[in-house]
């Protein structure tokens, strides 16, 4: 079309716009607009307004709206314009509706009738206006009222191509609003759109199929074949009408759409078809990667190339094509154009999450690390995402160093994300406890308040749960507090650690309790009150461990008991009373050591999970979840791994009482305190299937269990130890959060257990997938007074292990295989200080009790070594596991 | 390739045209438009044309005094989106004859009509060069005829 001088023939509008443009300040603009709004409002009251005038005023409203002012009238006039017989008036009416009408607006119902009329009109220009409107603001109500008419337009043979493609997209919008409009019998019809002669119709059809297939890919499987064909004809044969050639390329958008569609549809098992697709992709890699000087052509080429890369990664089947991907991405990464670097980093992240072996990507590590310092934040972010995916034990140290460099210069928006990622990497890939703790301290120091709460809280959890890092943690905490500057978050962390573990380093005169106190005192006055509160708690703990320091500490409590902050005041006053009481029983109870944290929950990992969601494709997350234990909420802590962890905790807590009691579980136990119940429980999960689960003066519960992974059955026997009856006896399985373990009571007790009588109950269980928490049974009964017990059932993951010894000579090889894919975990468990070592046979029993098959056992002077293997059998998965356990008789 | 929104704004951050393919309240729209404009205007010339904003990716291009910013899904094809913007600019250029910011200000409704021929439901509707402009030309003819009628009726014919 020849260019023309476009004249706006609404004079009043032009004048109005000119006026506004000439306004010197926003005050004038606002005044002018308010005057105009008042004017239009009064005009609209005049019922004799003709179509042209209405159009003009509605158009003015639209202009005001574009400037960002709210428009709360004119809707009615716009709806009237919709019904006009003049195209230009109708057009403005539609423009107003689609810009200003919110889909939640009540008026939508009013306009639906007009739209329907226009959809059914014999004038195509009217059809188009209505279709634009449906496609742009279609709502669930419109889906119900209009989807049939839209489909008629789409399917009718008399519909012109330019109406058809709009109908396809309008249907897409309606489907997005209400997927119920989709009926299975529609699929074939929709797939035939791909055979249309008009490439525009094919492009729109592609979008429609891709959207519908997203949630229903199998139904659209038949579209795969034509999609490959069109792609081949387009790209390899160059079969494309002249008007669809865009800068020498046959319709690049259609190519991209088809490549996207092929990632959604299930690939059929058809070698000829696959060859055709491979040939097309190869053609793209060799012909579309040629550099060209025209920006448009270069962009269009690369749109196709990178979509081809996505498809190859998605298929992940042809090594030679994957190789081409590596090549392409490598070249783009070092390309001078920054857009290429961005897209290349993004594609590499997708690749890193999809392939097992990331060696080819790691080759570019120096460039990627360099990108971390690019001055464009977009690039930095992409590089960070990629590095996070690539990092493992071997690279964690240099990577974290590099990330620290970035942290000190990063802008606020990136700091939070960065600090979470450093924290997770340090925890996930740490090889040395000391390195971990110093890294985290430094992180908290540098990020301070930009690091979310979860970061420092997580450090406290890990230190509490791991004896071997408590001493270095306390040392580091002290030395940070000795600096004159200590950011508030770090101060919180340090105070927390010193309060809890400061006594571990107090024997050294350089780090004595008094020195620690000095260090804390130098900061307490200057920090915010939330931090002061933690300092006060640390002081209180010092009062309990070092009573000599009370004369120094009590005045501090005294001082803060008159603090302005109410919370602080109350805390200080309570502490003062506690600490000055000559009887220290209460104080000591309050200051007892922190109990171990539940290992399986780290809020930090959840956070990473969320940020993953936002940075990556849904497919990528699926892949990532499948082999990176990070985002599914399970902590893969380097200090204790889950398999060994259970052994460890049982050694720690159960062993003192059970060293001699393996064979005498039935001995009577005094009134069941909770620790005692824990010991009994630990025994049941580690060594035996039968034993006492709970006992007090009234009731004794013993259990017999049998596991045939992935199923298990438990018989609970309740013994009433009293002479009176236990009435209303009821037990229920606590509504259990994990969907991975199904536990039901299959046979219940009668309701009353008479004096000295027993009752039995059968519980069956089935493990679908990895689970971490044992189910609990809640028992209530009445023995004069109502009572409730919540008892953990001895159902743990290791109960679903089956011993499967492998040959000792194969052991090393298998281990190496798993290590390669980063599935190795190491941890050290201390058995506690001052306790004589366990008997080797006892350890042996525990290992067997956890379902390991022992492949080899070697005894040396100082150590004993077990090589074990087993299979975890669950309904949904079976995992082979191997374990190497070294046991030192003496402290090392 | 679903586009969530397209915003045209000047170097001073004044919005010239905004099209939303997702449902948002007016308040959210204004906020997004303002923030996206600030984000893009804050970037230097040699930086890449993609920037993350909340959970979307903004693909933008500058033409003289006017910025075109498009919000897409994170997994969307950046280069293809860049060329959609260019295609829109080309169409306007052909229509207005060497388009400038003023054309878009004074004929903002036409800029919307041209966009409607290119993008609906956030998807590309027309990829052929000629077709879209043919549609617009036809619309203009209708308008002209109607305009003449109006003119005549105003003079009492």
């Amino acid at each position: 079309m020849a260019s023309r001088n476009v004249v706006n023939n609404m004079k009043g509008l032009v004048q109005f716009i000119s006026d506004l443009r000439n306004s010197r300040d926003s005050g004038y603009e606002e005044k002018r607009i308010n005057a105009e709004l008042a004017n239009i409002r009064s005009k609209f009251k005049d019922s004799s307004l003709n179509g042209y005038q209405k159009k003009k005023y509605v158009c003015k409203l639209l202009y005001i709206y574009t400037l960002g002012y709210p428009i709360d009238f004119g809707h009615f006039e716009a709806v009237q314009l919709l019904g006009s017989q003049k195209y230009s008036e109708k057009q403005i009416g539609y423009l107003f509706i689609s810009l200003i009408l919110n889909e939640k607006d009540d008026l939508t119902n009013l306009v639906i009738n007009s739209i329907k009329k226009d959809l059914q009109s014999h004038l195509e220009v009217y059809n188009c206006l209505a279709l634009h409107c449906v496609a742009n603001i279609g709502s669930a109500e419109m889906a119900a009222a209009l989807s049939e008419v839209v489909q008629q337009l789409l399917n009718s043979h008399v519909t012109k191509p330019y109406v058809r493609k709009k109908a396809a997209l309008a249907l897409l919008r309606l489907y997005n609003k209400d997927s119920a409009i989709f009926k299975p019998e529609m699929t074939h019809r929709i797939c035939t759109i791909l055979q249309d002669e008009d490439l525009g119709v094919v492009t729109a059809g592609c979008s429609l199929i891709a959207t519908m297939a997203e949630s229903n890919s199998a139904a659209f499987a038949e579209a795969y074949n034509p999609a490959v064909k069109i792609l081949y004809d387009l790209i390899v044969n160059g079969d494309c009408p002249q008007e669809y050639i865009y800068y020498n390329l046959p319709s690049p958008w259609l190519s991209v759409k088809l490549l996207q569609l092929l990632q959604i549809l299930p690939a059929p098992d058809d070698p000829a078809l696959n060859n055709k697709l491979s040939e097309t992709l190869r053609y793209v890699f060799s012909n579309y990667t040629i550099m060209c000087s025209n920006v448009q052509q270069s962009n269009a080429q690369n749109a196709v190339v990178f979509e081809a890369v996505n498809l190859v990664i998605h298929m992940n089947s042809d090594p030679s094509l994957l190789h081409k991907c590596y090549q392409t991405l490598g070249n783009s990464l070092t390309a001078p154009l920054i857009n290429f670097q961005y897209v290349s980093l993004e594609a590499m992240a997708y690749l890193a999450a999809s392939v097992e072996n990331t060696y080819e990507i790691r080759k570019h590590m120096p460039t990627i690390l360099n990108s971390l310092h690019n001055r464009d934040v977009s690039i930095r972010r992409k590089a960070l995402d990629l590095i996070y995916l690539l990092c493992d034990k071997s690279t964690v140290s240099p990577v974290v160093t590099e990330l620290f460099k970035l942290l000190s210069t990063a802008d606020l928006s990136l700091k939070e994300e960065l600090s979470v990622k450093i924290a997770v990497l340090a925890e996930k890939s740490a090889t040395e406890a000391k390195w971990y703790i110093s890294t985290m301290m430094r992180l908290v120091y540098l990020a301070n308040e930009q690091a979310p709460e979860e970061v420092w809280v997580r450090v406290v959890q890990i230190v509490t749960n791991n004896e071997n890092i408590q001493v270095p943690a306390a040392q580091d905490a002290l030395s940070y507090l000795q600096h004159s500057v200590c950011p508030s978050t770090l101060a919180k962390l340090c105070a927390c650690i010193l309060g809890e573990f400061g006594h571990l380093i107090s024997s050294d005169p350089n780090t004595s309790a008094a020195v620690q106190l000095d260090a804390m005192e130098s900061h307490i006055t200057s920090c915010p009150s939330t931090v002061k509160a933690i300092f006060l708690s640390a002081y209180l703990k010092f009062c309990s461990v070092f009573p000599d320091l009370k004369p120094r500490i009590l005045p501090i409590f005294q001082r803060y008991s008159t603090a302005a902050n109410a919370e602080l005041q109350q805390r200080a006053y309570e502490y003062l009373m506690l600490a000055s009481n000559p009887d220290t029983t209460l104080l000591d109870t309050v200051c007892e050591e922190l109990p171990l944290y539940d290992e399986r929950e780290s809020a930090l990992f959840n956070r990473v999970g969320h940020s993953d969601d936002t940075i990556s494709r849904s497919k990528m997350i699926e892949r990532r979840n499948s082999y990176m234990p990070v985002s599914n909420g399970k902590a893969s802590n380097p200090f204790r791994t889950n398999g060994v962890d259970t052994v460890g905790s049982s050694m720690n807590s159960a062993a003192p009482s059970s060293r001699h009691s393996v064979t005498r579980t039935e001995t009577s136990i005094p009134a069941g305190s909770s620790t005692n119940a824990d010991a009994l429980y630990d025994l049941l999960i580690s060594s035996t299937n039968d034993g006492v689960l709970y006992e007090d003066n009234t009731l004794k519960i013993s259990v017999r269990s049998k596991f045939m992974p992935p199923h298990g059955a438990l018989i609970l026997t309740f013994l009433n130890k009293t002479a009176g009856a236990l009435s209303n006896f009821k037990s229920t399985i606590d509504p259990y959060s994990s969907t991975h373990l199904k536990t039901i009571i299959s046979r219940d007790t009668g309701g009353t257990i008479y004096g000295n009588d027993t009752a039995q109950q059968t519980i069956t269980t089935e493990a679908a997938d990895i689970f971490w928490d044992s189910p609990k049974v809640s028992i209530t009964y009445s023995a004069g007074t109502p009572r409730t017990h919540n008892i953990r059932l001895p159902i743990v993951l290791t109960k679903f292990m089956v011993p499967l010894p492998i040959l000792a000579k194969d052991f090393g090889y298998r281990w190496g295989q798993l290590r390669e894919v980063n599935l190795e975990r190491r941890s050290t468990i201390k058995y506690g200080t001052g306790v004589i070592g366990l008997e080797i046979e006892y350890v042996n029993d525990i290992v067997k009790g956890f379902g390991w098959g022992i492949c080899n056992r070697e005894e040396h002077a100082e150590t004993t070594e077990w090589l074990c293997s087993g299979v975890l059998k669950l309904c949904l998965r079976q995992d082979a596991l191997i374990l190497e356990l070294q046991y030192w008789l003496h402290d090392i | 390739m679903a586009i969530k929104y397209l915003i045209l704004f000047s170097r001073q951050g004044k919005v010239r045209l905004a099209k939303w393919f997702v449902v948002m309240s007016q308040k959210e729209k204004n906020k997004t438009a303002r923030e996206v404009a600030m984000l893009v205007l804050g970037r230097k010339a040699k930086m890449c044309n993609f920037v993350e904003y909340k959970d979307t990716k903004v693909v933008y291009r500058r033409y003289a005094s006017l910025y075109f910013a498009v919000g897409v899904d994170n997994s969307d094809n950046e280069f293809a989106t860049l060329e959609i913007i260019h295609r829109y600019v080309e169409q306007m250029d052909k229509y207005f004859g060497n388009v400038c910011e003023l054309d878009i200000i004074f004929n903002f409704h036409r800029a919307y009509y041209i966009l409607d021929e290119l993008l609906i439901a956030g998807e590309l509707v027309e990829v052929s060069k000629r077709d879209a402009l043919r549609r617009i030309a036809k619309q203009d003819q209708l308008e002209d005829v109607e305009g003449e009628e109006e003119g005549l009726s105003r003079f009492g014919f």
Side-chain angles (χ1 to χ4, degrees):
Chain A
M1 198 191 89
S3 66
R4 46 172 273 178
N5 207 2
V6 181
V7 195
N8 188 334
N9 44 24
M10 287 180 276
K11 298 277 172 344
L13 177 66
V14 174
Q15 188 56 48
F16 176 58
I17 295 175
S18 305
D19 271 9
L20 287 179
R21 284 185 52 76
N22 292 333
S23 65
R24 308 228 169 253
D25 54 275
S26 63
Y28 174 81
E29 183 187 285
E30 212 175 315
K31 237 160 91 188
R32 179 74 179 83
I33 282 174
N34 283 333
E36 190 61 44
L37 284 175
N39 174 39
I40 297 172
R41 222 184 270 269
S42 73
K43 294 280 183 195
F44 279 163
K45 287 203 184 101
D46 178 1
S47 55
S48 66
L49 226 51
N50 68 22
Y52 169 77
Q53 286 163 318
K54 275 185 201 151
K55 177 179 100 173
K56 189 175 79 184
Y57 292 127
V58 166
C59 212
K60 276 186 184 173
L61 286 181
L62 280 173
Y63 185 74
I64 296 171
Y65 167 82
T66 308
L67 291 176
Y69 292 85
I71 298 298
D72 51 9
F73 68 102
H75 300 70
F76 184 67
E77 285 71 19
V79 174
Q80 284 180 327
L81 287 176
L82 281 194
S84 164
Q85 287 310 308
K86 283 189 177 150
Y87 181 78
S88 62
E89 290 170 13
K90 203 185 261 296
Q91 202 177 16
I92 292 281
Y94 270 113
L95 185 59
F96 184 95
I97 300 295
S98 53
L99 284 183
I100 295 185
L101 202 65
N102 203 307
E103 99 177 29
K104 287 167 202 141
D105 230 310
D106 302 336
L107 276 170
T108 5
N109 287 329
L110 248 173
V111 303
I112 284 179
N113 276 332
S114 292
I115 297 177
K116 195 166 185 173
K117 233 190 235 156
D118 287 335
L119 285 175
Q120 287 167 329
S121 162
H122 65 281
L123 286 172
E124 276 127 14
V125 279
Y126 286 11
N127 298 160
C128 284
L129 283 180
L131 286 171
H132 293 168
C133 182
V134 172
N136 289 337
I137 63 160
S139 59
E141 288 90 46
M142 287 195 193
L146 303 173
S147 69
E148 233 163 83
V149 196
V150 172
Q151 280 182 63
Q152 278 164 13
L153 274 176
L154 177 62
N155 295 333
S156 160
H157 293 293
V158 294
T159 309
K160 295 248 170 63
Y162 73 92
V163 181
R164 252 193 119 193
K165 59 194 159 202
K166 289 172 180 173
L169 295 179
L171 191 62
L172 180 157
R173 167 80 182 206
L174 296 180
Y175 172 81
N176 273 338
K177 290 294 150 187
D178 181 9
S179 55
I181 65 166
F182 170 78
K183 305 273 176 327
E185 61 269 20
M186 285 158 60
T187 47
H188 179 67
R189 255 259 137 91
I190 290 175
C191 288
T192 53
I193 303 178
L194 292 184
Q195 263 122 35
D196 201 287
E197 281 171 13
D198 185 291
L199 280 193
V201 176
V202 175
T203 311
C206 256
S207 300
L208 178 63
I209 295 172
T211 305
M212 288 186 159
E214 193 92 61
S215 51
N216 203 0
S217 61
F220 289 90
E222 62 172 295
Y224 198 95
N225 199 331
V228 172
K229 251 202 192 117
I230 301 168
L231 195 64
Y232 182 87
D233 287 345
L234 203 61
I235 290 179
V236 182
N237 292 343
D239 196 357
C240 176
Q242 188 53 36
E243 58 178 289
Y244 285 93
I245 300 279
Y246 183 79
Y247 290 93
N248 299 327
L249 295 180
S251 193
W253 292 290
L254 178 55
S255 309
V256 168
K257 273 257 157 281
L258 288 165
L259 289 165
Q260 285 173 339
L261 182 61
L262 293 175
Q263 293 171 60
I264 295 168
L265 298 176
D269 192 15
D270 180 345
L273 196 64
N274 287 339
N275 281 341
K276 208 165 194 175
L277 180 57
S278 298
E279 192 187 332
T280 316
L281 291 168
R282 251 178 226 117
Y283 188 90
V284 169
F285 285 127
S286 46
N287 293 294
Y288 279 54
T289 48
I290 300 165
M291 289 297 257
C292 64
S293 53
N294 181 296
V295 185
Q296 270 58 255
Q297 186 179 347
S298 160
N299 282 345
Q301 278 183 353
N302 282 288
V304 179
V305 169
F306 279 98
E307 210 51 63
V309 166
N310 282 340
L311 179 58
V312 172
I313 298 173
H314 170 75
M315 298 193 304
N316 198 3
S317 54
D318 188 336
S320 71
L321 278 174
L322 264 178
H323 184 73
K324 292 264 185 209
C325 280
Y326 289 129
Q327 251 177 356
T328 310
L329 295 184
N331 290 342
S332 321
L333 189 64
T334 47
L337 283 173
I338 192 159
N339 283 348
F340 285 73
Q341 296 170 20
Y342 177 92
V343 177
S344 174
L345 286 169
E346 186 177 59
M348 279 186 174
Y350 181 30
L351 195 56
S354 308
V355 294
E356 307 275 303
N357 187 344
T358 54
Y359 170 76
E360 287 288 338
I361 308 173
R362 274 162 210 268
K363 281 204 297 206
H364 303 289
M365 205 61 174
T367 319
I368 300 168
L369 283 176
N370 217 3
S371 302
L372 272 184
H373 304 291
N374 195 298
R375 62 192 197 114
D376 185 348
V377 66
S378 299
I379 300 282
R380 291 203 295 271
R381 216 178 268 278
K382 285 288 157 204
L384 178 61
D385 290 341
L386 176 57
I387 281 178
Y388 176 75
L389 283 169
L390 290 178
C391 187
D392 65 2
K393 281 190 167 57
S394 63
T395 49
V396 68
S397 178
V399 163
V400 167
T401 313
E402 209 63 37
L403 294 183
F404 270 136
K405 269 193 227 159
L406 183 58
L407 185 65
S408 42
T409 57
D411 39 312
L412 285 184
S413 60
L414 200 58
K415 255 188 178 162
E416 174 176 334
E417 195 184 329
L418 195 55
S419 54
V420 172
K421 287 202 162 135
I422 294 178
V424 172
L425 284 181
E427 181 172 334
K428 193 166 67 113
S429 322
T431 43
E432 257 180 280
K434 212 169 149 35
W435 177 84
Y436 170 77
I437 201 73
S438 65
T439 303
M440 291 307 285
M441 290 268 188
R442 182 140 175 253
L443 171 63
V444 176
Y445 175 74
L446 287 175
N448 194 22
E449 273 159 7
Q450 264 75 56
E453 281 281 295
E454 289 93 328
V455 170
W456 79 269
V457 170
R458 182 68 182 157
V459 181
V460 174
Q461 281 184 14
I462 289 191
V463 173
T464 308
N465 286 15
N466 298 279
E467 264 180 49
N468 56 338
I469 54 171
Q470 289 165 358
V471 170
Q475 285 163 341
D476 278 12
L478 178 60
S479 72
Y480 270 108
L481 280 179
Q482 282 168 335
H483 282 302
S484 57
V485 183
C486 185
S488 58
T489 312
L490 183 63
K492 268 195 248 184
L493 173 61
C494 292
C496 228
I497 289 179
L498 282 189
E500 210 57 43
F501 309 108
H503 61 93
L504 297 176
I505 57 169
S506 63
S507 52
D508 182 335
N510 289 327
T511 57
S512 70
V515 173
Q516 295 178 33
L517 211 54
D518 288 341
M520 286 197 268
E521 243 176 311
S522 65
H523 292 288
I524 187 167
T525 45
S526 57
C527 60
S529 44
T530 44
V531 186
K532 284 192 173 89
I534 294 178
F535 270 115
L536 290 183
S537 301
Y539 287 145
L540 184 71
K541 290 190 175 165
F542 270 48
C543 282
S544 159
V545 191
F546 311 106
D548 330 342
L549 290 175
K550 270 191 194 171
R552 276 188 65 185
I553 295 171
L554 291 181
I556 302 175
F557 288 154
Q558 190 97 50
R559 190 161 80 231
Y560 285 101
S561 62
T562 56
N565 181 308
E567 204 279 334
L568 201 60
Q569 188 187 84
Q570 183 178 358
R571 184 185 289 248
Y573 189 73
E574 280 171 13
Y575 287 176
L576 181 64
M577 290 298 112
L578 256 177
S580 43
N581 190 343
D583 178 8
T584 59
T585 334
L586 183 58
L587 175 65
D588 293 344
T589 318
V590 170
C591 296
E592 255 181 24
E593 276 180 25
L594 280 180
L596 292 190
Y597 285 89
D598 186 356
E599 273 296 329
R600 278 109 208 177
E601 286 306 318
S602 166
L604 216 50
F605 290 121
N606 292 337
R607 263 190 112 95
V608 180
H610 288 313
S611 65
D612 279 353
D613 281 347
T614 57
I615 59 139
S616 58
R617 289 144 216 271
S618 52
K619 283 173 241 137
M620 188 154 139
I621 299 164
E622 272 167 44
R623 294 283 315 194
R624 200 182 289 170
N625 282 343
S626 63
Y627 65 91
M628 284 188 57
V630 177
S631 24
N632 56 10
K634 187 193 94 183
S636 63
N637 176 340
F639 310 103
R640 34 174 72 212
T641 54
N642 296 295
V644 190
D645 182 22
T646 4
V647 184
S649 64
S650 96
M651 280 181 177
N652 282 332
S653 54
S657 66
S658 56
R659 250 190 93 200
H660 307 290
S661 58
V662 182
T663 50
R664 49 183 190 106
T665 47
E666 289 291 329
T667 45
S668 76
I669 283 134
S673 71
S674 68
T675 47
N676 210 335
D678 281 349
L680 291 170
Y681 182 76
D682 284 334
L683 202 61
L684 279 169
I685 61 168
S686 64
S687 316
T688 170
N689 277 330
D690 308 335
V692 179
L693 189 59
Y694 177 82
E695 184 165 16
D696 62 15
N697 294 331
T698 321
L699 182 69
K700 175 172 160 181
I701 308 171
S702 38
V703 61
R704 277 191 294 141
S705 50
K706 192 160 174 64
F707 286 88
M708 302 269 287
H711 303 282
L714 287 81
I715 298 173
L716 299 186
T717 307
F718 302 96
L719 170 67
N720 179 353
K721 289 164 82 173
T722 63
L726 305 178
S727 56
N728 293 329
F729 196 93
K730 241 170 84 185
S731 60
T732 43
I733 302 284
D734 265 10
Y736 179 46
S737 59
S738 170
T739 46
H740 294 159
L741 187 70
K742 209 168 80 191
T743 309
I744 47 169
I745 295 179
S746 54
R747 222 185 72 211
D748 210 339
T749 54
T752 304
I753 307 176
Y754 296 103
N756 295 320
D757 199 2
T758 58
Q760 274 193 347
Q761 184 172 58
T762 314
I763 293 173
T764 56
T765 185
E766 184 186 65
D769 203 342
I770 304 279
F771 67 96
W772 299 117
D773 299 311
S774 303
K776 281 186 182 145
V777 60
S778 167
I779 294 165
T780 55
Y781 60 90
S782 161
T785 52
R787 291 194 199 180
T788 307
H789 299 297
N790 283 313
I791 292 165
R792 269 184 303 171
L793 291 171
I795 303 173
V796 291
L797 190 59
T798 47
K799 291 285 185 194
F800 300 92
M801 279 271 285
V802 181
L804 189 81
I806 52 173
L807 291 176
K809 65 180 173 64
D810 290 340
F811 200 90
Y813 169 66
R814 291 280 179 91
W815 192 275
Q817 272 183 327
L818 293 178
R819 172 184 293 168
E820 233 163 60
V821 290
N822 218 347
L823 287 171
E824 180 193 49
R825 298 283 178 270
R826 270 179 193 281
S827 73
T828 310
I829 304 144
K830 273 207 169 181
Y831 172 58
T833 39
V835 185
I836 318 159
L838 298 166
E839 288 159 20
I840 301 293
E841 286 312 316
Y842 176 61
V843 179
N844 202 52
D845 282 346
I846 288 185
V847 171
K848 281 204 267 185
F850 275 116
W852 293 102
I854 295 176
C855 320
N856 194 22
R857 174 171 143 192
E858 273 180 52
E859 301 199 21
H860 307 288
E862 290 287 334
T863 65
T864 307
E865 233 181 68
W866 282 266
L867 301 181
C868 320
S869 60
V871 176
L872 192 58
K873 282 195 174 174
L874 307 171
C875 295
L876 296 180
R877 59 193 282 171
Q878 291 206 3
D879 295 328
L881 303 169
I882 52 179
L883 168 76
E884 181 184 336
L885 181 69
Q886 281 185 325
Y887 176 64
W888 276 272
L889 274 175
H890 304 288
D891 236 351
I892 46 161
Chain B
M1 212 195 288
I3 287 174
K4 297 179 178 192
Y5 50 81
L6 174 134
I7 308 169
L8 266 65
F9 51 89
S10 68
R11 240 181 330 185
Q12 291 76 32
K14 255 212 169 335
V15 175
R16 295 301 179 204
L17 181 148
K19 186 85 183 172
W20 308 85
F21 299 106
V22 285
V23 181
M24 276 195 212
S25 71
Q26 192 51 45
K27 224 171 135 191
E28 284 173 284
K29 285 180 187 170
N30 286 345
K31 185 166 172 275
T32 308
R34 205 173 47 241
E35 288 179 357
V36 167
M38 262 173 38
L39 188 69
V40 170
L41 289 171
R43 292 172 60 77
K44 304 209 167 54
K46 289 255 169 78
M47 293 184 172
C48 65
N49 294 83
F50 323 119
V51 62
E52 274 156 41
Y53 169 72
K54 294 196 175 154
D55 58 345
T56 54
K57 189 154 50 188
V58 174
V59 177
Y60 68 93
R61 248 178 132 155
R62 180 181 169 176
Y63 291 88
S65 61
L66 210 54
Y67 287 82
F68 291 67
V70 171
V72 292
D73 276 330
N74 270 304
S75 55
D76 254 330
N77 191 311
E78 295 89 353
F79 283 121
T81 314
L82 270 180
E83 287 319 292
I84 290 178
I85 296 179
H86 189 71
R87 172 41 69 89
Y88 182 37
V89 174
E90 273 186 352
Q91 302 273 22
M92 286 204 286
D93 210 41
K94 282 220 179 83
Y95 178 77
F96 288 108
N98 211 352
V99 67
C100 68
E101 195 180 339
L102 277 182
D103 290 324
I104 295 171
I105 294 172
F106 281 99
N107 289 288
F108 68 95
H109 53 299
R110 290 210 170 85
Y112 278 113
Y113 301 153
I114 297 173
L115 185 61
D116 272 343
E117 296 298 330
L118 185 72
L119 272 182
I120 59 173
E123 302 277 346
L124 200 57
V125 61
E126 185 47 75
V127 280
S128 122
K129 263 174 266 180
R130 285 184 316 190
D131 220 31
L133 284 177
R134 262 197 307 240
R135 302 271 82 73
I136 299 281
K138 193 155 181 207
Q139 291 170 16
D140 279 353
Q141 272 171 13
L142 282 170
E143 204 178 327
D144 287 349
V145 172
E146 287 166 8
E148 276 162 28
E149 285 167 6
E150 258 156 32
L152 293 174
S153 66
R154 247 178 294 166
F155 288 109
F157 288 95

